[in-house]
Amino acid sequence: MTTLQTITTDSAAIIKTFIRTSTAQKVASELTDNLLQYAKGKHNYIVIDEKNQTIYFIDNGTGFNEKSFQKAHNLFGSPIESSGISRYSIGSKIFGAVANVREIYSINRFGQCFSSCWDLNTGPDKFSTLSENSAKELSELMAKYEFDHGTIIALKQVHWGKEFRTASAFFKSIKNYFDSRYQHYLYKNNTSLTILMKMNNGEVQSHKVSSKDILKSAKSDLPRNHVTSDGEIIEYQSFYSPESRGISNQGIEIYYDDIKIDTIDWKRFTSRNGFTNRAKHNSLNHCRQLVFLNSVNSKGVTIDQNKASCDLPEEIY
C-alpha cells in the first residue's frame, strides 16, 4: 500500500491561496485536463449528481501507478515537462474551491488498485484511506460503465463554487466552456468526453462535448521559432481561418498541447511587426488566428501555475 506524505503547514497555506482564487469551472477544467492527458482513456465521463452533491470524473485510461499516485497527493514543485499542460500538478489539489472531499479510486492495467480520501473537514494536510462504503460505491460505478481499468475522482460535499447557485447552472456553464476548450483535442486524439447531469427528480441530461476539426478550412504558416530575450526558443505554428462560427469571431486562440487555454484580442501592431498585414481591414471581423504551442518546445511562453493566463512575446503574433 502506498504511504502518502503529510502536506506541510506551509504547503497547505499555498494550496489555500490557489483555492481562494479558483472557481468551480477552473476546478472542473483542471481535473479534466488531467483525465485526458494523464489517463489517456478513449471514453471519459463527468457525472454531476445534484441530489448527492457529488461530481465524478471517470475514465477508462491507464490508471495510477505508485509514482503517479504519490504525485496526485504531493504539492506542486518544479515543472515536469513530460506532463504537458498539467506539468505543475496542482489541478487535483484545488478541489476545495468547489467541494470539501476528494476521493480517488483507480485500477491500472495490471490490476493494481489505488485509493485515498482527502477530507478538508478534518484538516487541509491529511489523507486517509477510502472508507469501505466509498470503495464499494466507486467500484460499482466503474463496473456500471464496464471499465476493467481506469480512474474515478469523486468530489463530494460540493457547494458549486462561488459563481454558481445550483448544479444546473454549473452544468450549463461547463457544457459551453468545454465545447470550446476541448473540441480540438478530442478530435485529434479520437477521444470522447460526455457530461451527465443527474437531477434531483431522477431525470438525466446528457451532453457530448464537441469534437471538431477546427483546421479544416484553415491556411497554415510554416512552423516558426522565436527566440526570447532570455534565449529561450518558442516553437509555434499559426493557422488562419475565415470560418468563425462556433469558436470565436475574432482574436488569437492559444492552444497548448492541443487544449485551448486562452483567447487574446487582436492587437494593432506597427508595420514592422510580421502580423500587421494579416490584421488589416475586414479580416479583423472575419478571420481568427490559431497558435499552437507545445509545452516541451515552448519554454519561453509565460503560463502561470494554475493556467489562469498565458502571455506570448508580442513578436510571435
Side-chain angles (χ1 to χ4, degrees):
M1 182 176 179
T2 301
T3 301
L4 299 175
Q5 299 175 0
T6 299
I7 291 180
T8 65
T9 302
D10 288 345
S11 297
I14 294 173
I15 292 174
K16 284 183 178 180
T17 299
F18 276 99
I19 288 175
R20 283 195 297 269
T21 59
S22 294
T23 64
Q25 190 180 82
K26 166 59 73 175
V27 172
S29 63
E30 287 281 355
L31 286 171
T32 304
D33 288 353
N34 294 348
L35 175 149
L36 294 173
Q37 288 202 321
Y38 290 161
K40 297 190 181 301
K42 287 298 181 183
H43 304 289
N44 307 278
Y45 295 89
I46 300 172
V47 182
I48 304 168
D49 188 332
E50 183 178 31
K51 183 178 181 179
N52 293 315
Q53 293 182 278
T54 301
I55 307 173
Y56 301 93
F57 297 81
I58 308 168
D59 69 72
N60 69 335
T62 56
F64 281 100
N65 58 33
E66 189 87 19
K67 184 177 180 180
S68 62
F69 186 66
Q70 185 71 61
K71 185 168 179 265
H73 297 80
N74 288 348
L75 184 65
F76 62 92
S78 300
I80 301 172
E81 301 304 337
S82 62
S83 299
I85 194 173
S86 299
R87 66 193 187 279
Y88 286 104
S89 186
I90 70 159
S92 60
K93 282 82 169 179
I94 60 172
F95 68 91
V98 70
N100 295 328
V101 179
R102 185 198 77 180
E103 294 181 344
I104 294 178
Y105 181 85
S106 180
I107 299 176
N108 64 26
R109 295 181 186 275
F110 302 102
Q112 296 173 303
C113 182
F114 295 86
S115 64
S116 71
C117 175
W118 189 353
D119 188 344
L120 297 180
N121 297 307
T122 61
D125 56 349
K126 296 178 181 177
F127 307 110
S128 63
T129 56
L130 208 57
S131 71
E132 187 175 333
N133 287 339
S134 289
K136 183 175 183 292
E137 172 208 353
L138 299 181
S139 174
E140 290 176 349
L141 185 58
M142 187 171 288
K144 177 182 177 180
Y145 287 92
E146 299 181 347
F147 291 167
D148 295 326
H149 51 78
T151 300
I152 299 177
I153 294 181
L155 303 185
K156 297 187 173 181
Q157 298 179 24
V158 170
H159 41 78
W160 310 119
K162 295 169 283 191
E163 70 272 42
F164 302 110
R165 292 189 177 184
T166 65
S168 296
F170 174 71
F171 174 58
K172 182 178 179 180
S173 172
I174 66 168
K175 278 196 311 180
N176 299 333
Y177 179 57
F178 279 21
D179 278 343
S180 174
R181 183 176 178 86
Y182 298 115
Q183 59 183 339
H184 173 65
Y185 182 95
L186 296 176
Y187 178 84
K188 184 176 179 180
N189 293 276
N190 190 27
T191 301
S192 68
L193 175 62
T194 303
I195 308 173
L196 301 173
M197 171 69 189
K198 297 175 65 175
M199 312 286 286
N200 277 331
N201 61 8
E203 178 187 350
V204 177
Q205 297 182 23
S206 177
H207 175 72
K208 188 171 183 178
V209 176
S210 173
S211 173
K212 185 176 180 180
D213 182 6
I214 63 173
L215 302 180
K216 186 176 182 179
S217 60
K219 295 181 180 180
S220 171
D221 275 355
L222 294 174
R224 305 185 202 173
N225 287 341
H226 169 75
V227 182
T228 70
S229 58
D230 296 328
E232 296 281 10
I233 297 177
I234 301 173
E235 297 180 9
Y236 70 101
Q237 189 165 13
S238 293
F239 295 79
Y240 303 91
S241 174
E243 193 240 328
S244 60
R245 186 177 304 166
I247 301 184
S248 67
N249 291 328
Q250 58 187 26
I252 304 169
E253 296 184 358
I254 310 301
Y255 289 80
Y256 206 58
D257 297 327
D258 297 321
I259 292 175
K260 189 171 88 168
I261 61 169
D262 206 355
T263 300
I264 301 174
D265 292 337
W266 285 123
K267 293 187 178 182
R268 297 178 183 273
F269 297 141
T270 61
S271 59
R272 68 175 180 274
N273 290 288
F275 187 70
T276 303
N277 293 334
R278 299 188 183 94
K280 282 182 179 178
H281 54 76
N282 292 334
S283 65
L284 279 172
N285 298 320
H286 300 290
C287 179
R288 72 182 189 275
Q289 182 183 3
L290 312 174
V291 176
F292 290 86
L293 302 165
N294 180 292
S295 61
V296 176
N297 299 323
S298 302
K299 298 177 184 178
V301 175
T302 302
I303 178 171
D304 69 352
Q305 289 178 329
N306 68 352
K307 293 178 298 210
S309 65
C310 175
D311 294 323
L312 301 176
E314 184 174 286
E315 293 85 350
I316 83 166
Y317 296 170

